[in-house]
Amino acid sequence: MTATLEDLSFDNRFTADLPADPEVGGGSRQVNEAAYSRVSPAPVASPRLIAHSPEVAEMLGISRDVVESEQFLEVFSGNTTISAMDPHAACYGGHQFGNWAGQLGDGRAITLGEVTDSAGTRLTLQLKGAGPTPYSRGADGLAVLRSSVREFLCSEAMHHLGVPTTRALSLITTGDQVMRDMFYDGNPGLEPGAVVCRVAPSFIRFGNFEIFRSRDDIATLRRLADHTILTHFPELGEPSPEVYTAWVAEVARRTASMIVEWQRVGFVHGVMNTDNMSIHGLTIDYGPYGWLEDYDPGWTPNTTDRQFKRYRYGAQPHIGQWNITQLANAIHPLVGEVDPLQDAIEQYVATFNQQWPLMMAAKLGIRAFDDSRDAALIERLLELLPAVETDMTLFFRGLADVAVGDESGQMSDDELLAPLLDAYYEPDQLNGDIRSATLDWLRDYSTRIATEGSAANERRSAMNSVNPRFVLRNYLAQLAIDDAEKGDPGLVIELLDVLRKPYDQQPGHERFAEKRPDWARSRPGCSMLSCSS
Ligand code: AMP
Ligand code: MG
């Protein structure tokens, strides 16, 4: 454990291996033939630590005393840096909503440096909301408390759910006010500013490769690919056309696995642009994301995507493939052939198609998945869930308590349905054909599960280990934000704690497992979000 932050061991490979923009700091501009620009975080008025993740601090070897120190507050608010850091903003491009957007880059993120431990684990520290960079494109480079609470809580919640994600070390308010037009309706207002320190092996995105490909800058593209493989995928071997292809295939597999996990827990990213896709297959850039409350594959939380719903829950698997195709296109000049890259993209499809049914089977408590009969059972359920407003999280949690086999055979319809009733937003909607179809499904389900011969408690604990009881429901995040904006971080800290054990029953914390209350149905922040953050 470190006595001060100076004791952290930095090994800044990204800046050491790759070409730098010759200009340091400065205003918005196009940056050519460089992977990053050196830039310092902007000082803030009066930083205050709102919350931190003890697990992430521990991973970094940062002791409790250091977390509580003045130095921690100064460094992770952006007021100061330590000499072994090499603060910079990365240059990247991206496809936004399906269209090439040109240079984007870290417009409000500043990477401080890469911490390594004795085991060789590499953790990059990045401040989000630490002031303008050459990639800010005229915007302020800042973040508001509202969006910072959302990023901080959700990335930690996702980790504890077992979903690959970037992590968050700290959430600090800056004491500065930030102007935002939250609803994009011409009524901007001041909001408290905040900085999150996020942590990941690297923050390299698909878009970091796309920008060089788009400029035909193959030399820098190759340097970035070589750096990425040698630093983060050394098991693939020395870079060569075959290794570049193997790397795309590996990113494809990781991305597919990540999206299977999103589907499992009902997470909707909201902005799956290629600049928001991590080459590690980690969930990154928590913006207008949301959690499915009622199961609706057509839902997206992002108001900017209201018209076409490109990034709706049900489209995420396909979009992952589209994004991998963009990465493969970017790498093409290094490979020279199309077919091997096509095979690499196929790895996405193969991985998804292999893992998704197993994931769904696990949610249903099926251990020995048998495609020939279970695929239809899964499909029928996914048609029933959106037919009446059904809370996804409560439904799967309740399903573990549904009786199976002989026990269910003697039950009345009402008794069989009882464990699921809480999941229905409007229980009266469950009538007529839908009610009979649901009961038919439940009886078939019960028969199917009985063939597995597992004891009820074994089945329940297996199902409860993949079907969370606690997710960061959209309205819960908003309640925590409301309090934090009034100066009370209590709910942020309490939620962080509850979401640390999302699969446990946690008696006494029922209120965090309840379905969305009626008032939250249409309240901004609870159902729909803009990108304004
Ligand atoms: P996002 O939608 O958050 O992934 O952001 C897309 C692009 O806009 C990235 O290049 C961001 O760095 C940039 N960006 C978003 N908000 C700001 C801001 N307040 N100041 C500067 N750049 C921003
Ligand atoms: Mg982004």
Side-chain angles (χ1 to χ4, degrees):
M1 285 286 165
T2 53
T4 85
L5 290 175
E6 265 97 15
D7 297 338
L8 291 175
S9 158
F10 281 92
D11 174 29
N12 303 317
R13 285 274 277 277
F14 187 86
T15 51
D17 287 352
L18 296 168
D21 173 4
E23 194 178 334
V24 173
S28 292
R29 59 180 180 270
Q30 292 292 305
V31 173
N32 288 301
E33 295 175 11
Y36 62 91
S37 308
R38 289 199 165 89
V39 57
S40 296
V44 305
S46 52
R48 176 177 167 220
L49 182 64
I50 300 298
H52 81 284
S53 160
E55 293 91 352
V56 177
E58 184 166 342
M59 232 160 61
L60 289 159
I62 299 177
S63 67
R64 181 89 206 190
D65 285 350
V66 172
V67 169
E68 283 163 4
S69 69
E70 192 59 25
Q71 186 193 33
F72 186 91
L73 204 52
E74 293 293 303
V75 168
F76 294 112
S77 64
N79 260 349
T80 186
T81 52
I82 56 182
S83 58
M85 292 174 168
D86 193 2
H88 64 276
C91 180
Y92 57 79
H95 279 85
Q96 298 189 315
F97 298 95
N99 304 305
W100 176 243
Q103 177 181 302
L104 299 166
D106 288 330
R108 54 147 164 199
I110 295 179
T111 297
L112 297 175
E114 303 166 43
V115 174
T116 54
D117 66 14
S118 50
T121 310
R122 180 174 299 273
L123 293 170
T124 300
L125 306 180
Q126 183 178 79
L127 301 185
K128 186 166 177 181
T133 78
Y135 308 97
S136 297
R137 296 177 293 148
D140 56 15
L142 303 175
V144 293
L145 179 58
R146 161 171 62 83
S147 62
S148 305
V149 166
R150 286 170 51 82
E151 167 126 20
F152 176 81
L153 279 181
C154 197
S155 61
E156 286 304 289
M158 291 281 269
H159 167 76
H160 294 294
L161 283 163
V163 184
T165 178
T166 61
R167 304 290 304 270
L169 170 65
S170 54
L171 167 63
I172 293 175
T173 47
T174 59
D176 296 314
Q177 298 285 304
V178 175
M179 185 71 87
R180 283 290 178 273
D181 186 355
M182 183 170 150
F183 301 112
Y184 294 136
D185 63 357
N187 290 306
L190 288 172
E191 298 187 44
V195 176
V196 168
C197 176
R198 51 185 188 179
V199 179
S202 87
F203 290 93
I204 303 173
R205 302 140 190 272
F206 294 7
N208 291 73
F209 297 87
E210 292 179 274
I211 188 72
F212 300 125
R213 171 71 174 101
S214 78
R215 291 168 170 171
D216 234 358
D217 178 3
I218 310 307
T220 313
L221 176 68
R222 186 181 305 278
R223 282 178 72 172
L224 178 62
D226 291 358
H227 160 82
T228 302
I229 290 166
L230 292 170
T231 311
H232 300 291
F233 298 80
E235 64 283 2
L236 296 177
E238 283 298 309
S240 69
E242 291 72 33
V243 168
Y244 297 131
T245 305
W247 173 69
V248 175
E250 177 60 18
V251 178
R253 284 189 289 268
R254 291 191 194 187
T255 304
S257 297
M258 169 187 79
I259 293 177
V260 168
E261 297 293 285
W262 290 1
Q263 304 305 94
R264 173 172 66 85
V265 298
F267 175 79
V268 189
H269 183 285
V271 205
M272 291 176 71
N273 294 333
T274 55
D275 51 301
N276 290 339
M277 298 296 291
S278 152
I279 52 107
H280 302 284
L282 302 174
T283 314
I284 191 173
D285 275 13
Y286 290 86
Y289 68 81
W291 293 81
L292 279 191
E293 282 164 338
D294 56 293
Y295 181 89
D296 173 6
W299 185 69
T300 174
N302 185 356
T303 50
T304 313
D305 196 17
R306 191 166 17 199
Q307 195 181 1
F308 299 113
K309 298 190 179 355
R310 177 179 171 87
Y311 298 141
R312 63 192 183 275
Y313 174 77
Q316 295 188 131
H318 165 73
I319 294 292
Q321 185 188 354
W322 194 91
N323 288 344
I324 281 290
T325 306
Q326 306 316 310
L327 179 66
N329 278 337
I331 297 303
H332 178 252
L334 304 182
V335 176
E337 287 176 88
V338 172
D339 287 353
L341 285 169
Q342 196 57 50
D343 292 344
I345 296 168
E346 281 303 314
Q347 288 295 308
Y348 177 91
V349 181
T351 304
F352 190 87
N353 288 345
Q354 195 241 336
Q355 292 180 2
W356 185 84
L358 294 177
M359 174 280 283
M360 285 306 300
K363 284 182 83 67
L364 293 182
I366 297 171
R367 283 181 306 179
F369 175 72
D370 171 357
D371 191 51
S372 64
R373 52 182 178 168
D374 296 335
L377 195 68
I378 293 170
E379 208 168 297
R380 279 168 62 202
L381 175 63
L382 296 185
E383 278 165 22
L384 284 171
L385 289 180
V388 276
E389 225 177 324
T390 314
D391 190 90
M392 177 181 177
T393 304
L394 290 179
F395 182 89
F396 283 101
R397 200 71 186 182
L399 196 59
D401 294 325
V402 165
V404 302
D406 292 346
E407 203 190 332
S408 70
Q410 291 142 23
M411 281 184 164
S412 70
D413 290 352
D414 283 346
E415 284 170 330
L416 191 60
L417 270 174
L420 297 174
L421 284 188
D422 196 29
Y424 294 102
Y425 279 88
E426 308 275 348
D428 294 350
Q429 288 178 347
L430 190 69
N431 58 25
D433 291 350
I434 291 296
R435 183 181 156 94
S436 15
T438 302
L439 283 160
D440 286 348
W441 184 86
L442 275 177
R443 301 241 180 242
D444 290 347
Y445 169 71
S446 154
T447 309
R448 169 63 184 95
I449 294 298
T451 65
E452 299 240 315
S454 13
N457 59 348
E458 277 172 20
R459 168 175 153 254
R460 184 179 305 108
S461 63
M463 289 176 73
N464 286 356
S465 72
V466 293
N467 295 321
R469 173 160 156 85
F470 299 98
V471 296
L472 184 58
R473 288 174 181 276
N474 310 312
Y475 81 92
L476 291 175
Q478 189 57 45
L479 291 176
I481 291 164
D482 291 345
D483 284 2
E485 286 180 342
K486 289 183 214 130
D488 175 7
L491 199 46
V492 174
I493 293 162
E494 196 178 353
L495 269 174
L496 177 69
D497 198 45
V498 169
L499 294 168
R500 214 173 251 141
K501 297 192 184 93
Y503 300 101
D504 289 6
Q505 207 57 22
Q506 298 194 53
H509 290 293
E510 292 74 18
R511 82 179 184 101
F512 297 114
E514 280 163 14
K515 59 179 176 277
R516 177 195 61 219
D518 235 22
W519 60 259
R521 189 182 284 267
S522 51
R523 197 187 143 190
C526 298
S527 53
M528 292 292 266
L529 294 127
S530 76
C531 283
S532 163
S533 55

